């Protein structure tokens, strides 16, 4: 039994918070004798943050040095730090020293650097292999870096294996302002077989965006407004003439009121985006694309981490290069009961419900999914289009030692009848 204890600590380190002494508790506030009374905060201390800089957590707190705080405010601060998604556990302690309140937050950090050989696969027959660097909480400032090089089999008729390279960098709340900046770039090339022969196709994209937090309180919550520029270019060699490039100013509007519970979430997330390109203005063609989506999470019942989710999303594109489409339905993330991209077009919507129930362990949950959606060739035809629906049952596994890592696998089928289909992939 004495030899088993280190293994138990290692196992719980991989799967999430464990009872002391292995790890700090997932939640909790240790209160001093005057915890119910609001006292001026004389000191804010952090422990366990070997990577994360204090200012990343300080800006999320509902109080500052010298301002009054009580036990409820200290707990809101603990939850706000946990909501960053950077920690497996956060504890709070408050004590009275010389008439002032000393607040201490103790965190258990996740693994932030993942240089990995990457192998992706799903039940649609798509697979990819290559290398990826995922670096979360870069510099201890909650910056994110993603660098990926993959060869991908997309299972599209007439399209060979793709070589994909991508880079993205995100810097939230630069210089302690309410502005966040993002930069991303991608390059893809692939062989294409057409009726008259074969040719090679290349895609390039570059995007820059700045996002301003609009709401009072923690900057990572509330409303945000973004603006930026997206440049895209498609080129070909051989039979088919390229449709060229487009430069689109973009706007985004988002809202986040999310409570992170390590193994589940509660709250609301909304995002929307508008892109507009005009021929002759650094563009070879016109297009307008509007998309939006929202997810609401509720805790249900008395069982911890049992939740119900309501999801909705839509996308519309007007004009654009001839012979191209923007959206598809079906596959392991949208209408799971249907084959991937069984229908394609320039307008779609999808609604879904999810009931998620822990199965034995907090990190493993069963999920019941119902989905409905429609797609049309043009936005004006969407409301009159055929509606498709499916139901699915599966398992979701979340490793809280990694930032934003959850996978699922299960079976689904169309509600209108049809074969049972296996689905799986990253949530």
């Amino acid at each position: 039994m004495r030899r088993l204890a280190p293994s138990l600590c290692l196992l719980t380190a991989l799967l999430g918070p464990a009872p002391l002494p292995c790890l700090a508790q997932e939640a909790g506030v240790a209160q001093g004798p005057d915890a119910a009374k609001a006292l001026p905060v004389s000191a804010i201390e952090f422990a366990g943050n070997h990577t994360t800089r204090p200012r990343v957590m300080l800006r999320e707190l509902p109080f500052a040095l010298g301002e009054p705080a009580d036990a409820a405010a200290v707990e809101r601060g603990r939850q706000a730090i946990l909501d960053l998604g950077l920690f497996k556990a956060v504890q709070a302690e408050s004590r009275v020293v010389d008439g002032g309140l000393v607040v201490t937050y103790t965190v258990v950090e996740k693994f932030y650097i993942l240089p990995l050989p990457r192998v992706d696969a799903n039940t649609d027959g798509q697979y990819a292999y290559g290398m990826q660097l995922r670096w979360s909480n870069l510099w201890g400032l909650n910056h994110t870096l993603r660098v990926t090089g993959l060869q991908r089999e997309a299972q599209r008729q007439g399209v060979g294996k793709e070589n994909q390279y991508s880079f993205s960098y995100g810097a939230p709340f630069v210089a302690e302002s309410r502005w966040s900046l993002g930069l991303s770039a991608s390059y893809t090339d692939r062989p294409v077989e057409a009726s008259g022969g074969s040719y090679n196709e290349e895609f390039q994209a570059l995007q820059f965006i700045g996002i301003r937090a609009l709401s009072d309180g923690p900057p990572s919550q509330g409303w945000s407004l973004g603006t930026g520029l997206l440049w895209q270019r498609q080129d070909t060699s051989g039979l088919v003439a390229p449709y060229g490039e487009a430069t689109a100013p973009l706007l985004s509007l988002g809202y986040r009121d999310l409570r992170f519970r390590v193994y589940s979430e509660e709250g609301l997330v909304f995002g929307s985006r508008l892109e507009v390109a005009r021929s002759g203005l650094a563009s070879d063609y016109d297009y307008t694309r509007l998309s939006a989506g929202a997810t609401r999470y509720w805790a249900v019942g008395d069982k911890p981490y049992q939740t119900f989710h309501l999801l909705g999303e839509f996308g519309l594109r007007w004009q654009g290069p001839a012979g191209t489409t923007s959206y598809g339905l079906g596959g392991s993330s949208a209408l799971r009961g249907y084959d991937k991209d069984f229908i394609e077009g320039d307008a779609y919507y999808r609604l879904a419900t999810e009931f998620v129930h822990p199965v034995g362990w907090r990190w493993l949950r069963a999920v019941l999914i119902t989905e409905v959606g429609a797609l049309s060739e043009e936005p004006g035809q969407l409301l009159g289009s055929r509606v498709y629906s499916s139901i699915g049952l599966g398992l979701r596994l979340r490793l809280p030692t990694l930032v934003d890592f959850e996978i699922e696998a299960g079976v689904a089928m169309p509600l209108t009848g049809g074969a049972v289909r296996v689905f799986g992939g990253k949530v």
Side-chain angles (χ1 to χ4, degrees):
M1 185 66 184
R2 295 179 66 181
R3 294 175 58 85
L4 181 62
S7 298
L8 286 173
C9 286
L10 175 60
L11 179 63
T12 52
L14 289 173
L15 297 179
L20 294 171
C22 291
L23 293 174
Q25 293 293 325
E26 184 177 328
V29 179
Q31 300 177 357
D34 295 313
K37 181 180 178 182
L39 297 172
V41 176
S42 57
I44 302 174
E45 301 171 344
F46 298 99
N49 55 316
H50 307 294
T51 298
T52 310
R53 299 194 189 186
R55 67 192 195 203
V56 172
M57 298 175 281
L58 280 170
R59 66 189 176 214
E60 300 297 320
L61 298 180
F63 53 83
L65 283 175
E67 296 180 351
D70 56 12
V74 172
E75 165 57 20
R76 289 197 302 273
R78 187 202 66 82
Q79 183 62 55
I81 293 172
L82 190 61
D83 292 342
L84 289 169
L86 299 176
F87 310 110
K88 293 183 290 182
V90 181
Q91 282 188 311
E93 178 187 0
S94 60
R95 63 188 188 276
V96 179
V97 177
D98 297 331
L101 196 65
V102 177
V103 181
T104 302
Y105 292 104
T106 302
V107 302
V108 181
E109 295 186 315
K110 298 184 178 185
F111 296 130
Y112 298 128
I113 305 176
L114 288 175
L116 295 172
R118 176 167 165 178
V119 178
D120 291 340
N122 60 34
T123 52
D124 301 309
Q126 298 177 323
Y127 64 88
Y129 54 89
M131 293 293 296
Q132 182 184 59
L133 172 65
R134 297 181 58 188
W135 195 340
S136 302
N137 203 14
L138 186 62
W139 319 117
L141 295 173
N142 200 16
H143 291 197
T144 56
L145 172 68
R146 302 285 186 270
V147 180
T148 305
L150 296 174
Q151 187 170 85
R152 180 180 296 276
E153 175 56 72
Q155 291 292 347
R156 298 191 64 180
Q157 185 175 1
V159 177
K161 289 184 179 179
E162 302 177 343
N163 296 308
Q164 298 182 351
Y165 308 93
S166 64
F167 160 89
S168 66
Y169 191 92
F173 315 119
V174 176
E176 298 309 296
S177 71
R178 299 185 77 83
W179 278 96
S180 300
L181 302 178
L183 177 67
S184 61
S186 64
Y187 171 84
T188 300
D189 68 75
R190 64 190 186 187
V192 179
E193 294 289 337
S195 57
S198 62
Y199 62 95
N200 196 66
E201 189 173 28
E202 296 181 353
F203 300 90
Q204 302 169 58
L206 180 66
Q207 176 182 279
F208 175 79
I209 189 169
I211 300 175
R212 176 70 159 82
L214 301 178
S215 301
D216 295 330
S220 61
Q221 305 282 351
W223 289 99
S224 62
L225 181 66
T227 184
L229 204 63
L230 171 64
W231 174 81
Q232 305 166 88
R233 185 172 187 266
Q234 183 260 12
D235 202 359
T236 61
S237 59
L239 299 174
V240 179
Y243 50 76
E245 63 184 55
T247 304
L250 61 90
L251 290 173
S252 70
L253 178 66
Y255 179 78
R256 185 175 188 266
D257 182 15
L258 193 66
R259 305 285 80 77
F260 182 62
R261 308 298 189 195
V262 181
Y263 299 97
S264 63
E265 293 82 27
E266 298 173 28
L268 173 66
V269 177
F270 163 80
S272 61
R273 178 179 169 115
L274 173 66
E275 306 167 16
V276 181
R278 289 293 173 259
S279 178
L281 297 177
S283 301
D284 295 321
Y285 53 87
D286 296 337
Y287 86 87
T288 301
R289 182 184 289 119
L290 174 65
S291 59
T295 304
R296 181 70 166 91
Y297 304 88
W298 289 276
V300 294
D302 297 327
K303 192 173 185 64
Y305 314 115
Q306 180 173 274
T307 55
F308 178 79
H309 312 158
L310 178 62
L311 304 83
E313 61 184 20
F314 73 86
L316 308 169
R317 189 189 76 168
W318 294 267
Q319 300 176 297
T324 67
T325 58
S326 287
Y327 309 108
L329 284 179
S332 291
S333 59
L335 285 181
R336 293 165 176 81
Y338 295 85
D339 292 336
K340 180 171 177 60
D341 295 336
F342 79 101
I343 185 172
E344 297 180 318
D346 277 337
Y348 88 101
Y349 68 81
R350 183 177 73 98
L351 300 171
T353 65
E354 300 176 348
F355 176 71
V356 193
H357 176 79
V359 183
W361 301 274
R362 294 171 295 179
W363 45 269
L364 184 65
R365 299 191 294 166
V367 57
L368 175 65
I369 305 169
T370 61
E371 299 174 279
V372 297
L375 186 143
S376 65
E377 293 184 359
E378 299 178 0
Q381 303 170 349
L382 181 60
L383 294 181
S385 299
R386 177 182 172 181
V387 177
Y388 299 88
S389 59
S390 73
I391 186 168
L393 181 65
L395 290 173
R396 286 184 177 172
L397 183 148
R398 179 181 296 195
L399 293 182
T401 52
L402 304 178
V403 176
D404 189 26
F405 183 90
E406 188 171 25
I407 56 176
E408 68 176 9
V411 294
M413 64 177 293
L415 285 174
T416 52
V420 174
R421 184 181 175 281
V422 177
F423 68 86
K426 191 175 184 298
V427 178

